[in-house]
Amino acid sequence: MKWVGRAIRRLEDPALVTGRGRFTADLAAALQLRFVRSPVASGRVLRVTAPDGAKIVTAAELAGARPIRPMLHKFNYRPIAQPLLAKDVVRFVGEPVAAVYAPTAAEAEDIAERVDIEIDELPAVVDARDALLPDAPTVHDGGNVVVDGAIKTADFDATLATAHRRIRLTARSRRQNATPLEARAAHAAFDQASGRTTLTCTTQMPHLTRTAIADILSFPESDLRVVAPDVGGGFGQKMSLPAEYVVLVWLARQLRTSVAWSEDRRENLIASFHSRDQHVELEGAFDARGKLIALAADVIANIGAYSCFPTSCGVEPLMALAELPGPYDVRAYSCRARGVATHTCTMAPYRGVSRPVITFAIERLMDKAAAAFALSPVEIRRRNLIARFPYTSATGLVFDEGSYIETLDKAAAHIDVPAFRARQRTARAAGRHLGIGFATFSERTGYGSPAFAARGMEITPGWETVEVAMDPSGRVEASIGASPHGQGLRTTLAQLVADQLGIAPADVRVIHGDTDRTPYGWGTFASRSLVICGGATLLAARKIRDKLLIIAGDVLEAAPDDIVLEDGSAKVSGTDRIVTIAALARAAYHQSHRFKDIAPGLTETAHYDPPGTFSNACHVAIVDVDVETGRVAVEKFLAVEDAGRIVNPLIADGQVHGGIAQGIGNALFEEIVYDALGNIQTATLADYLPPTACEIPPIELHHIETPAQSSVTGAKGLGEGGAIGAPAAVVNAINDALSPFGVSIDEIPATPQRIRAALRAAGLGG
């Protein structure tokens, strides 16, 4: 391997850092669209009145369009329909009720502000637990529970009864927003000659976006092209289908022109998909040695007003149900996980999806168990982590080769726990409160259609198809259905292809984000791109390699097995006979009659649909808590990650760094706040607080490479890992710092207000 494993710079970066990137908002349009949104959380729409001469679209004009209605066929799922524009009722503040358009964005904004929506306000419910009460307002007919899954192993009750000690925990994760640097944007242009519409938009799933919009508006899918240009961050928020994109395409087709919409930050915080709003109750049953023998859980996930497409609102509660035990060996398990509708913005996947919450919950349980058994946080985990592979979990998940105990021990050694404890004692004597927190976790990555089918999804994603073509000049194009948005996928795929074909990564162009130029695929999400798209790319490149070796064998009069492809040439091992790969490519097209057993040209397609593989890691945070103000400073963060074969260490480190930064934000700062009436209180970045460079400490990374036998590249996904482990590590460190006061912070974000409230409740301060 000459390229895989090398930390080369990202091939996609020069255009971006020199201002030559292509973003949706750069496109000019004849008309600009603005949405008029509901100012109340719940109510009946009585009338919508626009100023004279205003160009406006309401639900009446869209009467022929279908609603957005994702479907599951398991777990007591109750389908709920989302209209493109609210017609009879509104269900959350920010729900689009109408759209206005004008030649400029400023004009459209002015008109939108003058549209009057008369609403008969109704009671609202914003907390999922309140929505479960018998007299709670209902968001949709039929009750507020939309998905309800449960599992209980046969031996659970008997095992629970043998417990030496039971430890209970109630954990809470507050609502968050992915806040990508580029908010949502779309541009729809109708072509008069062909009758086709091109939708350029910020999406992680171009092909499924095309399918969904064509279905909703009832026109042939071939009449729509979807392009995802450079996308300024997605993190899951740009995975789900927004109603706004459908309205935009409908309007462009109606007016036979071009229409654009760019979301402002206020709209993004109020009306773009939210995430992570969960209540988790755990009870862990331990034997006398501190071994977890049974685990009971009750998960209540606030899904907001509607069900996101295509994953549905089941994505968070059902992931919690399946994966809550995490990296721990526990055979007796009981869990109920419910998705509950409220009068709040719709929830959707966000980096890590449910795992940052369930990791936070199980890691808090482990720290509480460590205290109860007078064990160190490291030792309690060492006694409970999965140690033998393959391992089948209590929910039937098969864990492939991992290094759970090894990453824990390596992290503890690098952080030097004894030295920290000595420093902690000295600091406490001086009135400072330092703490250390550990979090071990597994990250299910690169899983194909069987995993999604297990959820009962009507639309079952998973597989990927890649087309690799070497042209007559010897340059390569790989056309992929995945749609990267900052992960460095173009570079890592080029490295995989380059090693197979004996060329440089710079000679490989990756084509993505255009439904006219790429095979149907599922996009980029769920730490899947390098595993699944990379696997399909590798398989297709191997087919090209096999053809090149046959052609080279004919040209060089040698057996294909004796030929090596490297440095842009084919060489016969042990001789000076050599021919350039460019010459072989030209022969494949222009002298194809010479090669009787292979098809002309060098174009191959491969399909890949793997079972999935588990990454794992241990995160450690050191914090300094000011007990007078509740302020938390993260002093140091260390991570030991096992993501299988690392294709590009520079990109891998960047992914983990970014995830940890988001995880620290989730742990300490970021929270979408609603009042009791459903009014959102965090509508600007002055209120919703992502971390800045000032809040991110030095991050020390170490990698263990356990190649995945279930992945043809040997790689495992790691895109979400940083965000999964960081919140638990930071909050465990806060609790360690505050241990002299006997308080327990079991809620994220752990804001200064919550820390001070806990300390006041313990009798410290007024």
Side-chain angles (χ1 to χ4, degrees):
M1 291 284 188
K2 291 197 281 186
W3 292 106
V4 170
R6 290 176 59 177
I8 67 172
R9 293 186 176 183
R10 302 198 321 176
L11 301 175
E12 48 267 77
D13 283 356
L16 296 174
V17 299
T18 56
R20 291 180 284 115
R22 298 175 297 110
F23 294 88
T24 300
D26 294 330
L27 297 175
L31 297 170
Q32 296 289 327
L33 193 69
R34 293 299 295 175
F35 287 92
V36 184
R37 301 184 180 275
S38 172
V40 301
S42 176
R44 295 186 184 90
V45 179
L46 301 179
R47 61 183 57 83
V48 178
T49 306
D52 291 343
K55 306 295 186 181
I56 186 169
V57 179
T58 65
E61 285 75 39
L62 293 166
R66 297 188 179 101
I68 298 172
R69 188 176 179 272
M71 188 65 194
L72 295 181
H73 296 288
K74 292 183 178 179
F75 304 106
N76 304 296
Y77 179 76
R78 187 164 56 84
I80 52 179
Q82 176 186 356
L84 302 181
L85 296 173
K87 181 182 179 182
D88 299 318
V89 298
V90 290
R91 294 185 171 93
F92 69 95
V93 169
E95 181 172 6
V97 178
V100 300
Y101 54 94
T104 68
E107 289 176 88
E109 184 81 33
D110 289 343
I111 296 169
E113 290 180 356
R114 294 163 57 203
V115 172
D116 181 55
I117 309 173
E118 188 176 343
I119 298 174
D120 180 15
E121 194 167 355
L122 297 172
V125 60
V126 298
D127 187 287
R129 292 171 302 178
D130 294 338
L132 292 173
L133 298 175
D135 58 348
T138 54
V139 184
H140 300 272
D141 293 340
N144 291 326
V145 177
V146 180
V147 62
D148 190 348
I151 185 173
K152 187 176 184 180
T153 57
D155 60 343
F156 176 79
D157 290 332
T159 305
L160 186 68
T162 67
H164 174 74
R165 177 168 291 180
R166 297 186 191 183
I167 297 173
R168 293 178 176 85
L169 166 75
T170 299
R172 177 76 165 95
S173 172
R174 296 287 177 171
R175 179 174 289 236
Q176 293 165 351
N177 182 290
T179 55
L181 186 63
E182 177 196 30
R184 297 179 299 174
H187 177 285
F190 181 82
D191 180 64
Q192 301 277 357
S194 66
R196 299 183 77 211
T197 304
T198 296
L199 172 67
T200 305
C201 60
T202 59
T203 179
Q204 296 171 226
M205 305 180 81
H207 285 278
L208 192 55
T209 298
R210 181 174 85 148
T211 299
I213 292 175
D215 284 351
I216 290 168
L217 298 180
S218 301
F219 65 83
E221 192 168 335
S222 58
D223 284 351
L224 179 62
R225 175 190 183 192
V226 174
V227 177
D230 292 318
V231 175
F235 310 121
Q237 192 181 75
K238 295 174 183 173
M239 175 185 172
S240 299
L241 176 69
E244 291 90 343
Y245 290 7
V246 189
V247 174
L248 201 76
V249 171
W250 178 87
L251 188 60
R253 288 168 57 84
Q254 289 293 312
L255 301 180
R256 304 174 72 84
T257 187
S258 58
V259 189
W261 168 66
S262 291
E263 179 181 61
D264 62 31
R265 186 58 62 182
R266 183 175 181 275
E267 281 183 295
N268 181 266
L269 288 168
I270 290 175
S272 198
F273 301 102
H274 294 168
S275 59
R276 306 222 206 292
D277 191 342
Q278 288 191 29
H279 301 262
V280 181
E281 292 188 3
L282 293 184
E283 181 179 27
F286 293 81
D287 68 14
R289 293 189 61 257
K291 175 72 174 67
L292 180 65
I293 58 173
L295 178 66
D298 184 36
V299 178
I300 299 171
N302 186 337
I303 67 141
Y306 296 106
S307 190
C308 60
F309 181 95
T311 56
S312 87
C313 63
V315 62
E316 286 206 355
L318 297 182
M319 181 176 283
L321 176 81
E323 301 186 27
L324 203 152
Y328 296 110
D329 176 21
V330 55
R331 309 307 308 159
Y333 178 55
S334 173
C335 180
R336 185 182 186 190
R338 286 168 286 179
V340 181
T342 63
H343 291 104
T344 61
C345 180
T346 302
M347 308 293 275
Y350 168 32
R351 194 175 195 171
V353 195
S354 195
R355 286 165 295 193
V357 183
I358 60 177
T359 296
F360 170 65
I362 195 75
E363 291 303 292
R364 288 296 303 128
L365 183 72
M366 281 295 161
D367 268 20
K368 289 178 182 291
F373 285 92
L375 296 172
S376 72
V378 173
E379 183 57 28
I380 194 71
R381 289 168 172 80
R382 188 184 289 114
R383 295 185 185 189
N384 284 285
L385 288 168
I386 299 168
R388 295 183 179 180
F389 303 94
Y391 172 86
T392 302
S393 75
T395 61
L397 301 180
V398 178
F399 287 61
D400 56 347
E401 303 86 352
S403 55
Y404 299 88
I405 294 175
E406 293 88 341
T407 52
L408 171 68
D409 288 343
K410 189 171 183 178
H414 280 293
I415 207 72
D416 195 349
V417 178
F420 170 78
R421 292 300 184 197
R423 188 162 70 90
Q424 184 184 48
R425 288 190 293 271
T426 302
R428 282 179 178 170
R432 288 181 61 210
H433 298 275
L434 304 181
I436 188 169
F438 286 79
T440 54
F441 64 91
S442 57
E443 180 188 358
R444 191 183 185 195
T445 73
Y447 42 93
S449 57
F452 289 101
R455 297 180 189 167
M457 293 177 65
E458 186 165 280
I459 295 175
T460 307
W463 50 267
E464 285 294 336
T465 299
V466 171
E467 298 171 357
V468 175
M470 179 177 282
D471 66 28
S473 72
R475 295 297 180 100
V476 173
E477 281 192 352
S479 299
I480 65 173
S483 186
H485 41 277
Q487 297 89 339
L489 188 60
R490 177 189 168 193
T491 302
T492 50
L493 294 183
Q495 289 176 264
L496 290 170
V497 172
D499 270 348
Q500 292 298 311
L501 304 185
I503 58 178
D507 293 330
V508 181
R509 176 181 285 111
V510 175
I511 307 298
H512 65 83
D514 186 340
T515 58
D516 275 8
R517 293 205 59 195
T518 60
Y520 201 100
W522 296 103
T524 298
F525 59 96
S527 300
R528 68 190 301 272
S529 299
L530 186 60
V531 177
I532 303 182
C533 181
T537 301
L538 180 65
L539 294 175
R542 283 177 178 171
K543 294 180 181 181
I544 299 286
R545 175 187 177 86
D546 290 344
K547 292 183 75 170
L548 285 173
L549 292 174
I550 292 171
I551 296 169
D554 185 279
V555 171
L556 296 172
E557 299 180 344
D561 289 346
D562 293 332
I563 295 172
V564 176
L565 303 181
E566 61 182 13
D567 300 328
S569 298
K571 306 172 185 177
V572 180
S573 297
T575 74
D576 59 357
R577 283 180 288 166
I578 187 171
V579 62
T580 65
I581 288 173
L584 297 178
R586 185 59 60 97
Y589 288 91
H590 295 180
Q591 297 291 316
S592 60
H593 65 282
R594 296 171 54 186
F595 317 114
K596 303 299 183 184
D597 297 329
I598 59 174
L602 291 169
T603 301
E604 295 292 341
T605 299
H607 163 89
Y608 193 47
D609 189 8
T613 179
F614 279 84
S615 297
N616 65 272
C618 179
H619 287 187
V620 189
I622 293 177
V623 303
D624 186 343
V625 181
D626 185 336
V627 297
E628 297 298 325
T629 65
R631 179 181 181 273
V632 176
V634 184
E635 182 183 279
K636 182 176 182 178
F637 202 99
L638 180 143
V640 180
E641 183 98 25
D642 185 348
R645 175 170 291 138
I646 302 297
V647 174
N648 186 314
L650 188 65
I651 289 175
D653 286 356
Q655 284 287 292
V656 179
H657 274 119
I660 289 171
Q662 284 183 303
I664 290 172
N666 293 172
L668 297 177
F669 308 111
E670 299 180 39
E671 179 180 358
I672 294 288
V673 179
Y674 284 92
D675 68 15
L677 299 177
N679 299 307
I680 198 162
Q681 307 293 296
T682 45
T684 73
L685 291 180
D687 308 301
Y688 186 85
L689 302 176
T692 70
C694 297
E695 286 77 48
I696 304 303
I699 298 174
E700 181 181 334
L701 298 183
H702 301 272
H703 293 283
I704 294 175
E705 295 190 45
T706 305
Q709 299 303 312
S710 55
S711 166
V712 295
T713 62
K716 305 175 181 182
L718 55 62
E720 298 171 285
I724 292 171
V730 170
V731 179
N732 277 343
I734 293 170
N735 280 286
D736 181 56
L738 300 180
S739 58
F741 306 106
V743 302
S744 184
I745 307 295
D746 299 321
E747 185 170 0
I748 51 176
T751 60
Q753 294 89 339
R754 291 192 176 107
I755 291 171
R756 283 294 305 147
L759 290 169
R760 283 195 300 271
L764 180 69

